[in-house]
Amino acid sequence: MAASRRRGRLTAVAAAVATAALTAGLTTGCDAVGKALDCVQTADAIADNVTDLQQAVENAANDPSQADASLDSIDKSLRKIGDKTDDADVNKAVDDLNKAVDNVRTAIKNGDETPDVSPVTDAAGELTKVCTS
């Protein structure tokens, strides 16, 4: 009788462990999907910010603060995506985009009224690519 109780407990423990593992696997899978969706949504927002930046640089003579506002929006989006991922490719793309944004910001501070924003555009494209692959 003791052997059958032990076997019953072992079966119950095994079932509980299997249920926990399955639940963890499903949760992790959903979490990964959620992170990927966040990445794509944030990359899309950054693409909009980059478009705003390009227009702001073209209109810098009329309102130089627009470029700063666009750069700030990109920075905010990059912090958001950087906080939500541990993917090495995404983190590298975020770092590259941060550097490109910093370079444009520095150029503007140094008096360049029409800084080259193509590195920002390229880095944003790379981020979108790694988020969707």
Side-chain angles (χ1 to χ4, degrees), residues 23-91:
T23 302
L26 290 174
T27 303
T28 303
C30 290
D31 192 39
V33 169
K35 284 183 180 181
L37 185 57
D38 284 343
C39 185
V40 169
Q41 289 171 338
T42 304
D44 188 46
I46 290 171
D48 290 342
N49 296 147
V50 170
T51 300
D52 293 344
L53 175 62
Q54 290 170 325
Q55 291 172 349
V57 167
E58 289 172 10
N59 298 323
N62 298 333
D63 187 1
S65 67
Q66 282 183 336
D68 279 336
S70 296
L71 291 168
D72 290 344
S73 293
I74 294 170
D75 283 339
K76 182 179 177 184
S77 295
L78 288 174
R79 281 191 300 275
K80 180 180 173 184
I81 196 170
D83 292 344
K84 290 186 177 186
T85 187
D86 56 358
D87 183 279
D89 292 334
V90 172
N91 283 328

Side-chain angles (χ1 to χ4, degrees), residues 87-97:
D87 183 279
D89 292 334
V90 172
N91 283 328
K92 182 181 179 330
V94 166
D95 289 344
D96 291 347
L97 187 47

